[in-house]
Amino acid sequence: MVEIVYWSGTGNTEAMAQEIDAAVKAAGADVETVLFDDTDADTVASKDVILLGCPAMGAEELEETVVEPFMEDLLPKLSGKKVGLFGSYGWGTGEWMDTWEQRVKDAGATVIGTAIVNETPNNSEECAMLGKAAAQA
């Protein structure tokens, strides 16, 4: 079972979650897609493969009122897990994704892939690749 958990401010990261969900299904795996607000760290950590989505915010950081507190709860539970990360950005260089990826690796997880899209995704190859990687993980 692949668990996709995301937060979206403008709808771009939500669109990415939908594209990744479709790619997971197309590759033959079961998937559940939920918002960070609609789940908890224990539930997410119980899944085989976890995909987390958040756009770049502020000075290239995670959303601070929902996603960052969730990550603080989840990180200690990620050791040995297979995790993918995704999100959109409108400025900067993608530094938030590099930082997020390192935090997940430092928690002991295996990062199976990342997908970042500038602004609005439209049948993003990165989303399709992340969904396929999750289905095969």
Side-chain angles (χ1 to χ4, degrees), residues 2 16 28 51 79 85 87 136:
V2 176
M16 292 180 76
L51 302 180
S79 183
L85 304 172
Q136 295 173 346

mmCIF file of all heavy atoms in Angstrom, residues 2 16 28 51 79 85 87 136:
data_model
loop_
_atom_site.group_PDB
_atom_site.id
_atom_site.type_symbol
_atom_site.label_atom_id
_atom_site.label_comp_id
_atom_site.label_asym_id
_atom_site.label_seq_id
_atom_site.Cartn_x
_atom_site.Cartn_y
_atom_site.Cartn_z
ATOM 1 N N VAL A 2 0.631 2.122 -0.934
ATOM 2 C CA VAL A 2 1.330 3.399 -1.015
ATOM 3 C C VAL A 2 0.442 4.464 -0.379
ATOM 4 O O VAL A 2 -0.747 4.556 -0.684
ATOM 5 C CB VAL A 2 1.634 3.782 -2.485
ATOM 6 C CG1 VAL A 2 2.265 5.161 -2.563
ATOM 7 C CG2 VAL A 2 2.521 2.729 -3.139
ATOM 8 N N MET A 16 -0.213 17.572 -8.369
ATOM 9 C CA MET A 16 0.884 16.605 -8.387
ATOM 10 C C MET A 16 0.461 15.317 -7.683
ATOM 11 O O MET A 16 0.730 14.217 -8.179
ATOM 12 C CB MET A 16 2.136 17.178 -7.717
ATOM 13 C CG MET A 16 2.790 18.308 -8.475
ATOM 14 S SD MET A 16 4.264 18.918 -7.615
ATOM 15 C CE MET A 16 5.438 17.595 -7.993
ATOM 16 N N GLY A 28 -0.040 -0.674 -11.008
ATOM 17 C CA GLY A 28 -0.603 -1.864 -10.391
ATOM 18 C C GLY A 28 -0.584 -1.943 -8.880
ATOM 19 O O GLY A 28 -0.826 -3.010 -8.318
ATOM 20 N N LEU A 51 4.624 8.695 0.430
ATOM 21 C CA LEU A 51 4.953 9.824 -0.423
ATOM 22 C C LEU A 51 4.396 11.074 0.231
ATOM 23 O O LEU A 51 3.202 11.158 0.529
ATOM 24 C CB LEU A 51 4.355 9.652 -1.821
ATOM 25 C CG LEU A 51 4.767 8.391 -2.575
ATOM 26 C CD1 LEU A 51 4.101 8.348 -3.943
ATOM 27 C CD2 LEU A 51 6.280 8.312 -2.723
ATOM 28 N N SER A 79 12.547 5.468 10.302
ATOM 29 C CA SER A 79 13.690 4.579 10.134
ATOM 30 C C SER A 79 13.276 3.292 9.428
ATOM 31 O O SER A 79 12.305 2.636 9.811
ATOM 32 C CB SER A 79 14.311 4.252 11.491
ATOM 33 O OG SER A 79 15.453 3.448 11.315
ATOM 34 N N LEU A 85 9.290 12.191 -1.964
ATOM 35 C CA LEU A 85 8.908 13.570 -1.661
ATOM 36 C C LEU A 85 8.534 14.299 -2.941
ATOM 37 O O LEU A 85 9.157 14.081 -3.987
ATOM 38 C CB LEU A 85 10.070 14.302 -0.981
ATOM 39 C CG LEU A 85 10.626 13.658 0.287
ATOM 40 C CD1 LEU A 85 11.895 14.374 0.728
ATOM 41 C CD2 LEU A 85 9.592 13.657 1.399
ATOM 42 N N GLY A 87 6.666 18.262 -4.544
ATOM 43 C CA GLY A 87 6.102 19.577 -4.297
ATOM 44 C C GLY A 87 6.385 20.535 -5.438
ATOM 45 O O GLY A 87 7.234 20.280 -6.292
ATOM 46 N N GLN A 136 6.672 0.185 -7.295
ATOM 47 C CA GLN A 136 7.661 -0.905 -7.377
ATOM 48 C C GLN A 136 8.465 -1.081 -6.094
ATOM 49 O O GLN A 136 9.177 -2.068 -5.963
ATOM 50 C CB GLN A 136 8.602 -0.642 -8.558
ATOM 51 C CG GLN A 136 7.902 -0.691 -9.895
ATOM 52 C CD GLN A 136 8.773 -0.264 -11.052
ATOM 53 O OE1 GLN A 136 9.832 0.325 -10.865
ATOM 54 N NE2 GLN A 136 8.336 -0.560 -12.263
#
